[in-house]
Amino acid sequence: MVNWSLINSDGRKASSAKIRKSIVSFMTRHHPCSVIDSIEKKYNAYKINLMNGLCLIFDADGRYIKTN
């Protein structure tokens, strides 16, 4: 699991609570019954793998980018 306490984003500090909130909000609206298999924090993005095989990509600020 990702350490959500504090996340650096483009040389500035972003609130981890805000990032987590935006990802959870997106998941609740668009994938309400999906189960998260894993979350990977990349340099400038989050990769969330769902049990149904979808992979969601979010930017460093927690904004949705795309589905693989």
Side-chain angles (χ1 to χ4, degrees), residues 48-65:
I48 299 180
N49 297 302
L50 304 179
M51 291 295 285
N52 64 6
L54 290 177
C55 175
L56 307 174
I57 308 295
F58 294 85
D59 70 7
D61 291 323
R63 290 183 296 255
Y64 173 75
I65 297 174

Side-chain angles (χ1 to χ4, degrees), residues 5-21:
S5 61
L6 185 65
I7 298 158
N8 289 322
S9 175
D10 298 331
R12 60 186 167 78
K13 294 191 179 197
S15 166
S16 60
K18 181 180 176 187
I19 293 168
R20 182 176 53 225
K21 188 178 188 180

Side-chain angles (χ1 to χ4, degrees), residues 37-54:
D37 182 38
S38 65
I39 300 173
E40 298 176 43
K41 183 181 183 306
K42 303 290 184 182
Y43 173 70
N44 60 352
Y46 294 96
K47 181 179 176 184
I48 299 180
N49 297 302
L50 304 179
M51 291 295 285
N52 64 6
L54 290 177

